[in-house]
């Protein structure tokens, strides 16, 4: 019986595809960070509007429908200018809560002629004269649909100029007269006409188009009024809203929150069977729905070979060779496109005793 097991194992080695390098996987017990945090110098504090737990200071409007277009804390690096979001430089920038910035407050941003520094001589882009959306500090990270809808643009905003405007851009029509725009992407996962769910990964952020660094430009625009920009944070200033096209606070519950979806977090177990230590029981699972797994066997020489994969959590028996050690790496992609991966402990298959049939 054991001979047959070995034959199957050796045959399987030849049937497996080209090994991928084990360096793509983390060592056992290690896993990649779920989120990458990144910020411009001088903007190191997480404020109430971007950490997914704060409050905008105004209640949600009756039409509130948005959740944050990413998961995990990411700071705002440029605000929507209520005075006035037309990319003109009129010298004053007004934040959703009434805070104003101008050359008199922090002084000109030394590296950006449409900006005013948050701190004197600072170089932070937070106050961006005429900005018509919000910039979030995402590096090259998954971007999520802020609400369900139909993709109406998934392309370069200007196909003839890859360093212009918002570069690779997605627009989603939410059927309520508003569209959301996601700019400067490095990768687009959706196509025009496709329906997307809230929290679905639609692309990867980047710095295509006109950008000084990787970030996500997120904008809300009125489809029926010449795509007039709308501030999703509404207006909670102590003086009248200087911008006449606001539609109130558009965040569900009144504050920016992450989409209420289960994020993947793979766990992989591997243990030899008590009555046959060459048989290793491997099992993998993760939160999330619509999960698809790829499971790799990693050999002690470092090669890593596709071994199992299926929909839903699973388990299988791996037949190892005496004197060899193995571990297992599983990656998962949820139905909404979020991914996670993790490794099992190392399992060593003992040498066979002399005299034992092999
Ligand atoms: Zn922007």
């Amino acid at each position: 019986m054991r001979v047959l097991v070995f034959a199957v194992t050796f045959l399987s080695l030849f049937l497996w595809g080209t090994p991928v390098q084990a360096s793509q996987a983390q060592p056992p017990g290690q896993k990649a960070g779920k989120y990458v945090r990144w910020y411009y110098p001088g903007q190191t504090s997480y404020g109430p509007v971007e950490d997914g737990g704060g409050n905008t200071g105004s209640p949600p409007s009756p039409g509130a429908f948005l959740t944050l277009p990413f998961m995990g804390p990411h700071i705002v690096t440029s605000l929507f200018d209520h005075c006035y979001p037309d990319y003109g430089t009129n010298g004053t920038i007004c934040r959703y809560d009434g805070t104003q910035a101008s050359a008199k407050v922090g002084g000109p941003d030394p590296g950006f002629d449409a900006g005013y520094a948050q701190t004197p001589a600072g170089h932070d882009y937070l106050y961006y004269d005429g900005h018509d959306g919000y910039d979030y500090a995402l590096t090259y990270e998954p971007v999520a649909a802020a609400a369900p809808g139909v993709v109406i643009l998934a392309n370069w905003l200007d196909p003839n100029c890859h360093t212009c405007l918002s570069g690779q851009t997605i627009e989603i029509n939410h059927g309520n007269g508003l569209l959301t725009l996601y700019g400067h992407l490095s990768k687009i996962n959706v196509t025009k006409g496709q329906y997307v769910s809230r929290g679905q990964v639609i692309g990867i952020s980047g710095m295509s188009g006109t950008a000084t660094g990787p970030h996500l430009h997120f904008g809300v625009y009125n489809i029926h009024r010449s795509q007039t920009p709308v501030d999703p944070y509404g207006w909670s200033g102590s003086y009248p809203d200087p911008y006449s096209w606001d539609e109130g606070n558009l965040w569900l519950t009144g504050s920016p929150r992450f989409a209420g979806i289960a994020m993947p977090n793979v766990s992989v177990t591997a243990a030899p069977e008590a009555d046959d230590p060459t048989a290793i029981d491997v099992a993998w699972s993760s939160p999330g729905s619509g999960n698809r797994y790829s499971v790799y066997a990693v050999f002690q020489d470092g090669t890593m070979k596709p071994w199992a994969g299926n929909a839903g959590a699973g388990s299988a028996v791996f037949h190892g060779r005496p004197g060899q050690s193995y571990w297992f790496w599983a990656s998962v992609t949820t139905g909404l496109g979020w991914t996670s991966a993790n490794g099992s402990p190392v399992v060593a298959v003992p040498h066979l005793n002399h005299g034992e049939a092999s």
Side-chain angles (χ1 to χ4, degrees):
M1 186 59 205
R2 194 164 267 139
V3 170
L4 178 62
V5 166
F6 285 160
V8 169
T9 303
F10 286 130
L11 186 61
S12 300
L13 283 169
F14 292 107
L15 292 177
W16 275 321
T18 309
V20 292
Q21 290 303 307
S23 58
Q24 290 177 3
Q26 308 280 327
Q30 304 286 309
K31 70 189 298 235
K34 279 170 78 178
Y35 310 112
V36 178
R37 281 170 36 159
W38 179 86
Y39 42 79
Y40 283 103
Q43 288 189 326
T44 55
S45 61
Y46 286 81
V49 301
E50 58 270 342
D51 65 5
N55 202 303
T56 60
S58 59
S61 75
F65 71 111
L66 298 172
T67 47
L68 285 166
F70 47 82
M71 300 294 265
H74 294 80
I75 62 168
V76 171
T77 56
S78 289
L79 295 150
F80 184 100
D81 180 9
H82 273 257
C83 327
Y84 190 87
D86 60 356
Y87 286 95
T89 49
N90 65 358
T92 303
I93 297 160
C94 304
R95 196 162 84 178
Y96 71 93
D97 62 359
T99 300
Q100 291 193 5
S102 68
K104 281 179 281 185
V105 179
D109 189 312
F112 181 44
D113 59 12
Y116 301 103
Q118 190 181 25
T119 51
H123 177 56
D124 48 40
Y125 300 99
L126 182 65
Y127 296 108
Y128 176 174
D129 209 343
H131 195 224
D132 74 351
Y134 283 81
D135 290 344
Y136 293 101
L138 275 68
T139 48
Y140 291 83
E141 302 173 59
V143 173
V150 175
V151 175
I152 55 174
L153 174 73
N155 201 348
W156 295 93
L157 194 61
D158 179 351
N160 297 315
C161 177
H162 293 185
T163 55
C164 295
L165 308 169
S166 55
Q168 292 201 90
T169 302
I170 295 172
E171 290 180 352
I172 300 172
N173 181 351
H174 299 288
N176 57 356
L178 298 172
L179 68 83
T180 51
L181 180 149
Y182 312 78
H184 309 298
L185 303 175
S186 63
K187 182 170 181 282
I188 291 177
N189 292 358
V190 293
T191 54
K192 187 178 177 180
Q194 179 179 343
Y195 175 86
V196 292
S197 303
R198 178 183 306 283
Q200 180 169 339
V201 177
I202 55 175
I204 302 295
S205 63
M207 57 177 295
S208 60
T210 304
T212 54
H215 69 279
L216 173 68
H217 175 96
F218 176 68
V220 183
Y221 302 87
N222 187 309
I223 290 174
H224 304 305
R225 203 190 307 112
S226 310
Q227 300 210 358
T228 314
V230 171
D231 187 346
Y233 290 78
W235 179 256
S236 51
S238 58
Y239 55 100
D241 186 351
Y243 183 54
S244 56
W245 300 123
D246 275 331
E247 305 214 5
N249 178 349
L250 296 176
W251 298 109
L252 284 174
T253 76
S255 293
R257 293 280 190 271
F258 307 126
I261 56 172
M263 295 297 286
N265 186 12
V266 178
S267 59
V268 192
T269 60
E273 293 183 3
D275 57 350
D276 179 3
T278 66
I280 304 170
D281 292 328
V282 184
W284 51 92
S285 62
S286 172
S289 59
N291 290 343
R292 298 186 309 282
Y293 295 87
S294 295
V295 186
Y296 297 82
V298 186
F299 295 73
Q300 64 185 23
D301 67 358
T303 56
M304 178 177 172
K305 294 169 182 170
W307 172 54
N310 61 9
S315 62
V317 179
F318 182 89
H319 293 282
R321 297 173 59 191
Q324 301 284 305
S325 61
Y326 305 89
W327 59 280
F328 302 88
W329 178 257
S331 63
V332 65
T333 303
T334 73
L336 291 176
W338 296 93
T339 60
S340 171
N342 205 354
S344 76
V346 175
V347 176
V349 179
H351 286 279
L352 294 177
N353 293 328
H354 287 293
E356 189 174 344
S358 57

